[in-house]
């Protein structure tokens, strides 16, 4: 058994399939099993199961989700389970990012544009700092975890301990802070900056919202005070503090000089290659751009796009993997990873991890061929999938619809029914009894979690024709009749179509028929999506039309009917995985029902229906055996937006009210700005980044006034 470094808070005891899943997954990690899959149905408490596994195995844990939304939700859930341990959130810090690119066909060069979210950057620093100092760490990350990050050794080497009595001059500490990439400012410090006033230096760490005030007397540190960043009130005194670098990319002066030399050598070689190929224009472009970058690096230590030279600054060989968040996790003496990795919604996340490298590579090669970048820019990249596999230890893949990778690497060939699920055979019976070959053996490392402690059963599925024979009625008219019946009962309806245009057109048609509806797809902004989903649950409208977003991670217990139009149009949106995930949206309601509109029975439909019926039979048998009466999930409607807009409506109303009635003077507006800043920091602490961004924009409006 591993050292117990986590302290889990259990709001309830494991039940249903959870105890067995916890035991099997824990045993797998203890035995050194490299790949395990938790094949879990929607609503079975998979996150709680994994929290227990983390507690039992005692390993620092990386949880990867395929988008920021799910990552924030998971981080909040793990914080509730582990209130006494370190739970951190690590995602891309860009509010907006347009990568550098070149399109030869139209001769169009696109400059890189980026807007950095300082609050998320602060959380990224908090993550790396705690990984270097503690063991009881859970990091929930997006695929940003596989992108380049500074060398952890260089990062750790410049950590500064400031303590009372330290013999150092004020000027020496200022030089040290600059060497740690803290910027000197004249006004109030912000994260990653400092200011010097008289015999004091005020420093704001890159990972928190307090200010460290260091007092000097007789060429030594005489006192250390901690100040509130907004109110400037003294919160207390410390005898010592640890100060981490303000940036992840740390380059000592001698390494910078070596890097500049190598860049100059690479430039000379590449110019020769281009000119031999008759690309004089490209050679001149590359020479001008690179020499301009080198001049800036020599003078100020930085240039736009400096990450494209990261291979030289990291002293890596050509093709060598970059340092990433994974490098900050603990490793054994022989270099093997010593942490647990959990891949949430693995059927989506794993392909996403695998796709990152190829897309980045194609864009970089075009830039290099046309003289915009040196060949070494290719090594400023995410990890390849093989590199990712080698840099993580034991992994648990979590999904209600695992993909080929999960089945193959968890030795699913030993599990006949899982081969059936992947479409290898057709002989499957939906019975309440578990197949013998599904047990967790030495050969098969797939753990199934089907039972819902609430007793809720997978929805019934009905298959109806797209076009009704002998009449003009089709799937849309039939769906409208069914949806109106659901609305009369005070419940909600989801309907999925194949394209964004179809979603918008169907929404317009429903409104013309007097049905309160709305649509959601990838062109709808995140905040607007959250608003739509909240209004849907509240009953502002009754029917929600979608394409592909109404799948993983949506918890909508008010939904009684899910309709899938054109279910027999085989493809990505009507694959087994997509159908099972969409069907699962009706599994939170005791009256949940799904209608598949199709004229033919596709292989994907057949597998999805059989798998749903199998899970339904298992749950019904369990309920009968334990005398359980299913109850629909009851959740506060604001739950859907808790992670992103806890204070959104209140903040907007408050701002309008104050703008029009209260903040009439500059002094009042200044006071309001400080209050808003405090709210913004609090929202970011709660992982409520959409609200934090909203408050940031409100602050800008007030400052402009």
């Amino acid at each position: 058994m591993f050292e117990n470094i986590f302290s889990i808070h259990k709001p309830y005891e494991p039940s249903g399939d959870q105890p067995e899943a916890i035991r099997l997954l824990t045993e797998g990690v203890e035995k050194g099993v490299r790949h395990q899959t938790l094949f879990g149905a929607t609503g079975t408490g998979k996150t709680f199961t994994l929290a227990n596994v983390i507690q039992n195995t005692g390993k620092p844990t990386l949880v990867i989700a395929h988008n920021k939304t799910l990552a924030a939700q998971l981080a909040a859930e793990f914080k509730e389970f582990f209130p006494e341990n370190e739970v951190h959130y690590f995602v891309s810090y860009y509010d907006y990012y347009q990568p550098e690119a070149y399109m030869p066909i139209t001769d169009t060069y696109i400059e890189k544009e980026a807007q950095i979210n300082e609050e998320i950057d602060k959380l990224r620093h908090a993550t790396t700092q705690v990984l270097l100092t503690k063991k009881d760490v859970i990091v929930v990350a997006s695929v940003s975890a596989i992108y380049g990050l500074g060398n952890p050794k260089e990062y750790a080497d410049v950590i500064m301990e400031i303590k009372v009595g330290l013999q150092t001059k004020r000027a020496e500490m200022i030089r040290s802070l600059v060497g740690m990439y803290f910027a000197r400012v004249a006004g109030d410090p912000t994260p990653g900056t400092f200011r010097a006033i008289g015999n004091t230096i005020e420093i704001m760490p890159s990972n928190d919202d307090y200010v460290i005030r260091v007092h000097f007397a007789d060429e030594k540190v005489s006192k250390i005070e901690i100040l509130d960043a907004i109110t400037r009130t003294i919160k207390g005194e410390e005898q010592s503090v640890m100060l981490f670098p303000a940036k992840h990319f740390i380059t000592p002066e001698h390494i910078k000089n070596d890097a500049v030399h190598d860049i100059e050598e690479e430039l000379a070689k590449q110019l020769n290659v281009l000119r031999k190929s008759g690309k004089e224009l490209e050679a001149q472009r590359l020479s001008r751009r690179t020499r301009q970058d080198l001049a800036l690096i020599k003078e100020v230590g930085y240039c736009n796009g400096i990450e494209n030279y990261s291979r030289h600054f990291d002293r890596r060989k050509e093709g060598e993997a970059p340092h990433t968040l994974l490098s900050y996790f603990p490793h054994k003496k022989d270099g093997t990873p010593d942490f647990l990795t959990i891949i949430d919604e693995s059927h989506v996340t794993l392909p996403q991890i695998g796709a990152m490298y190829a897309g980045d590579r194609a864009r970089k090669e075009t830039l290099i061929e046309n003289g915009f970048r040196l060949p070494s820019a290719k090594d400023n990249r995410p990890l390849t999938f093989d590199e990712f596999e080698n840099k993580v230890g034991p992994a648990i893949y979590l999904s209600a619809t695992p993909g080929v990778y999960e089945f193959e690497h968890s030795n699913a060939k030993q599990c006949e029914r899982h081969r059936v699920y992947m479409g290898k055979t057709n002989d499957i019976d939906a019975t309440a009894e578990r197949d013998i070959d599904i047990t967790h053996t030495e050969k098969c490392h797939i753990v199934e979690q089907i039972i819902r402690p609430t007793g809720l059963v997978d929805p019934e599925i009905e298959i109806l024709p797209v076009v009704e024979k002998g009449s003009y009625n089709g799937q849309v008219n039939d769906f409208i009749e069914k949806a109106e019946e659901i609305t009369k009962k005070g419940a909600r309806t989801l309907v999925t179509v194949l394209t964004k245009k179809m979603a918008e057109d169907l929404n317009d048609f429903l409104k013309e028929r007097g049905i309160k509806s709305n649509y959601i797809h990838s062109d709808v902004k995140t905040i607007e999506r959250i608003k739509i989903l909240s209004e849907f649950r509240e009953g502002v409208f009754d029917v929600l039309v979608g394409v592909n977003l109404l799948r993983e991670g949506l918890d909508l217990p008010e939904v009684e009917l899910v309709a899938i139009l054109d279910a027999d149009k085989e493809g990505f949106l009507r694959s087994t995985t997509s159908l099972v995930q969409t069907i699962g949206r009706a599994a939170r309601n005791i009256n949940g029902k799904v209608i598949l509109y199709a004229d033919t029975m596709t292989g994907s439909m057949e597998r999805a229906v059989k798998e749903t019926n199998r899970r339904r039979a298992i749950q019904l048998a369990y309920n009968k055996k334990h005398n359980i009466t299913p109850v629909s999930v009851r959740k506060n409607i604001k739950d859907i937006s808790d992670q992103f807009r806890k204070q959104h409506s209140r903040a907007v109303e408050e701002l309008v009210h104050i703008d029009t009635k209260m903040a009439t003077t500059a002094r009042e507006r200044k006071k309001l700005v400080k209050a808003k800043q405090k709210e913004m920091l609090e929202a970011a602490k709660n992982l409520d980044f959409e609200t934090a961004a909203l408050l940031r924009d409100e602050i800008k409006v007030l400052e402009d006034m």
Side-chain angles (χ1 to χ4, degrees):
M1 181 64 70
F2 293 93
E3 179 187 358
N4 193 343
I5 59 175
F6 292 97
S7 179
I8 189 173
H9 168 67
K10 294 186 179 181
Y12 43 81
E13 288 301 314
S15 60
D17 280 347
Q18 292 172 346
E20 183 70 358
I22 293 167
R23 182 184 69 80
L24 293 173
L25 291 170
T26 300
E27 286 181 1
V29 175
E30 290 176 340
K31 291 177 181 178
V33 175
R34 184 70 177 77
H35 305 276
Q36 297 187 90
T37 297
L38 179 56
F39 186 16
T42 302
T44 57
K46 297 186 289 292
T47 305
F48 181 58
T49 295
L50 293 172
N52 280 273
V53 174
I54 293 171
Q55 154 89 358
N56 294 344
T57 58
K59 284 180 173 289
T61 302
L62 170 65
V63 182
I64 302 182
H66 64 89
N67 62 45
K68 293 181 181 181
T69 303
L70 291 180
Q73 177 180 315
L74 284 168
E77 290 177 5
F78 279 116
K79 273 182 176 290
E80 291 180 3
F81 290 134
F82 297 102
E84 299 173 14
N85 301 113
E86 298 285 348
V87 178
H88 289 263
Y89 180 72
F90 187 96
V91 298
S92 168
Y93 54 24
Y94 294 115
D95 281 335
Y96 170 76
Y97 183 71
Q98 169 64 60
E100 180 184 33
Y102 178 68
M103 294 180 286
I105 295 177
T106 58
D107 189 27
T108 303
Y109 172 70
I110 302 171
E111 192 84 44
K112 185 184 88 170
E113 291 184 50
Q115 294 176 358
I116 292 178
N117 185 313
E118 293 182 356
E119 299 306 319
I120 295 180
D121 189 30
K122 192 160 59 177
L123 291 174
R124 287 165 63 93
H125 279 282
T127 299
T128 52
Q129 291 173 19
V130 78
L131 282 171
L132 294 176
T133 56
K134 295 186 178 182
K135 292 183 178 180
D136 60 328
V137 183
I138 299 170
V139 178
V140 184
S142 65
V143 292
S144 176
I146 69 169
Y147 277 79
L149 201 61
N151 186 330
K153 185 179 183 305
E154 299 289 353
Y155 184 80
D157 283 348
V158 295
I159 296 173
M160 180 194 301
E161 182 182 10
I162 305 173
K163 56 185 179 181
V164 175
L166 177 68
Q167 290 287 338
T168 184
K169 296 179 181 178
R170 173 176 169 275
E172 290 176 352
M173 184 169 288
I174 289 174
R175 283 193 292 271
S176 297
L177 289 170
V178 172
M180 295 171 69
Y181 294 91
F182 280 85
R184 186 170 183 174
V185 296
D188 290 345
T190 55
T193 67
F194 74 95
R195 70 175 177 181
I197 305 174
N199 289 325
T200 66
I201 298 177
E202 292 183 351
I203 312 160
M204 191 165 183
S206 56
N207 68 311
D208 221 318
D209 57 357
Y210 60 82
V211 172
I212 302 169
R213 180 182 286 165
V214 182
H215 296 261
F216 292 86
D218 300 325
E219 297 187 354
K220 67 179 181 181
V221 175
S222 59
K223 185 165 62 173
I224 301 173
E225 295 175 325
I226 306 300
L227 280 63
D228 185 283
I230 303 298
T231 65
R232 314 295 296 173
T233 57
I234 298 174
K235 299 170 67 175
E237 293 187 18
E238 297 287 344
Q239 289 300 303
S240 68
V241 293
M242 298 297 293
L243 195 63
F244 289 77
K247 296 184 182 298
H248 283 112
F249 295 91
I250 303 298
T251 308
E253 191 65 26
H254 69 281
I255 290 181
K256 186 183 82 170
N257 294 334
D258 291 343
V260 167
H261 178 265
D262 290 352
I263 294 169
E264 290 172 338
E265 283 193 347
E266 185 187 13
L267 174 62
K269 290 179 182 177
Q270 183 64 7
L271 291 177
N272 188 42
V273 169
L274 291 173
R275 285 175 174 138
K276 281 186 176 180
S277 302
K279 296 184 175 181
E280 183 60 37
L281 174 62
E282 288 82 354
Q284 290 184 21
R285 176 188 292 150
L286 180 65
S287 177
R288 182 179 67 254
R289 289 172 60 88
T290 308
R291 295 189 190 285
Q292 188 177 46
D293 287 346
L294 286 170
L296 285 169
I297 291 170
K298 290 176 182 177
E299 291 298 320
V300 299
Y302 179 81
C303 71
N304 287 329
I306 194 171
E307 65 274 8
N308 289 291
Y309 306 108
S310 61
R311 188 183 89 196
H312 297 296
F313 287 102
D314 288 345
R315 312 311 292 156
R316 286 185 280 128
K317 296 178 181 177
E318 183 177 352
E320 188 176 348
H323 295 290
T324 66
L325 177 66
L326 306 181
S327 308
Y328 287 75
F329 277 86
H331 290 69
K332 298 177 182 177
K333 290 182 179 179
D334 62 0
T336 57
D338 193 21
F339 60 95
L340 177 65
T341 301
I342 295 170
I343 310 295
D344 186 54
E345 301 291 359
S346 58
H347 63 285
V348 178
T349 307
L350 286 172
Q352 190 180 68
I353 291 172
M356 294 297 101
Y357 173 80
D360 182 83
R361 181 81 173 200
R363 181 173 56 83
K364 294 282 178 55
E365 285 179 343
T366 302
L367 289 167
I368 292 164
E369 289 172 6
N370 291 277
F372 289 94
R373 288 294 168 196
L374 291 171
S376 58
K378 288 186 290 188
D379 288 318
N380 166 45
R381 59 175 177 81
L383 298 175
T384 65
F385 194 81
D386 288 343
E387 290 168 343
F388 171 77
E389 281 188 305
N390 293 330
K391 289 181 179 292
V392 298
I396 298 175
Y397 309 112
L398 171 64
S399 177
T401 53
V404 174
Y405 179 92
E406 297 94 297
F407 281 109
E408 290 181 349
H409 286 72
S410 300
N411 291 326
K413 291 180 181 179
Q414 305 299 323
C415 308
E416 180 63 22
R417 184 163 47 67
H418 290 302
R419 295 202 305 113
V420 170
Y421 177 78
M422 295 306 294
K424 303 298 183 183
T425 68
N426 291 314
D427 52 343
I428 177 173
D429 293 320
T431 66
E433 298 299 323
R434 303 298 179 97
D435 297 326
I436 294 174
D437 54 18
I438 210 58
T439 55
H440 190 84
T441 67
E442 291 296 325
K443 294 181 178 180
C444 178
H445 297 292
I446 292 182
V447 179
E448 202 170 46
Q449 189 167 309
I450 300 298
I451 302 298
R452 298 182 180 91
T454 59
L456 277 174
V457 183
D458 279 81
E460 292 182 346
I461 299 175
E462 183 179 3
I463 300 176
L464 297 177
V466 173
V467 179
E468 187 176 332
K469 293 181 180 179
S471 75
Y472 293 103
N473 292 330
Q475 59 182 348
V476 174
N477 288 329
D478 184 81
F479 162 70
I480 289 174
E481 290 180 12
K482 301 289 194 302
E484 288 176 336
E485 292 174 7
I486 296 297
T487 300
K488 289 176 183 177
K489 296 164 60 179
R492 315 281 182 273
T493 301
L494 286 181
V495 55
T496 66
V497 294
L498 291 170
T499 68
K500 298 175 187 176
K501 183 68 165 57
M502 289 171 69
E504 294 174 10
D505 289 347
L506 179 57
N507 179 58
D508 291 340
F509 184 72
L510 292 172
K511 287 183 175 179
E512 289 174 4
R513 293 286 295 267
I515 295 173
K516 293 186 289 184
S517 68
N518 207 336
Y519 69 88
I520 184 172
H521 55 58
S522 59
D523 286 347
V524 179
K525 293 183 179 179
T526 302
I527 292 179
E528 186 62 23
R529 288 181 211 167
I530 295 163
K531 179 182 177 183
I532 290 170
L533 291 171
S534 296
E535 290 180 348
F536 180 52
R537 292 195 60 193
E538 290 167 354
V540 175
F541 58 94
D542 304 306
V543 178
L544 180 58
V545 187
V547 182
N548 194 38
L549 291 175
L550 305 181
R551 284 178 45 181
E552 295 87 358
L554 275 187
D555 187 358
L556 305 169
E558 294 80 12
V559 171
E560 281 195 11
L561 174 64
V562 171
I564 303 176
L565 304 189
D566 300 305
D568 54 357
K569 297 295 188 290
E570 190 80 86
F572 170 71
L573 293 175
R574 297 296 181 261
S575 65
T576 303
T577 296
S578 293
L579 292 173
V580 171
Q581 288 285 351
T582 307
I583 289 168
R585 296 317 101 203
R588 300 279 184 171
N589 193 297
I590 191 172
N591 299 314
K593 181 180 179 180
V594 176
I595 299 177
L596 304 180
Y597 288 96
D599 291 327
T600 59
M601 176 66 82
T602 65
S604 293
M605 286 175 59
E606 183 178 8
R607 289 188 290 274
V609 171
K610 286 183 176 180
E611 177 62 18
T612 302
N613 288 339
R614 183 185 71 84
R615 296 178 184 182
R616 180 178 173 83
I618 291 170
Q619 184 73 57
L620 286 171
Y622 180 85
N623 291 352
K624 183 177 180 180
K625 180 178 179 180
H626 296 275
N627 197 27
I628 295 175
T629 301
V631 179
S632 294
V633 172
R634 302 289 182 188
K635 283 202 171 185
N636 193 315
I637 289 178
K638 70 178 182 180
D639 281 358
I640 205 167
S641 58
D642 270 352
Q643 304 308 318
F644 299 97
R645 51 193 305 274
K646 292 176 182 175
Q647 304 172 26
H648 182 83
S649 298
R650 181 182 60 77
V652 172
E653 292 169 5
E654 179 182 319
L655 179 63
V656 172
H657 177 70
I658 293 175
D659 280 351
T660 57
K661 294 185 178 181
M662 295 177 64
T664 57
T665 68
R667 184 175 180 181
E668 288 172 344
R669 286 192 289 272
K670 188 174 181 180
K671 185 177 180 180
L672 180 60
V673 165
K674 285 193 174 290
K676 289 290 183 184
Q677 287 173 335
K678 198 160 189 176
E679 285 185 47
M680 179 179 70
L681 294 172
E682 186 64 29
K685 271 188 176 180
N686 293 330
L687 306 179
D688 190 5
F689 301 112
E690 300 297 342
T691 294
L694 173 65
L695 289 167
R696 177 197 61 197
D697 294 340
E698 292 177 0
I699 289 167
K700 288 179 180 178
V701 171
L702 290 168
E703 288 176 338
D704 289 342
M705 290 172 64

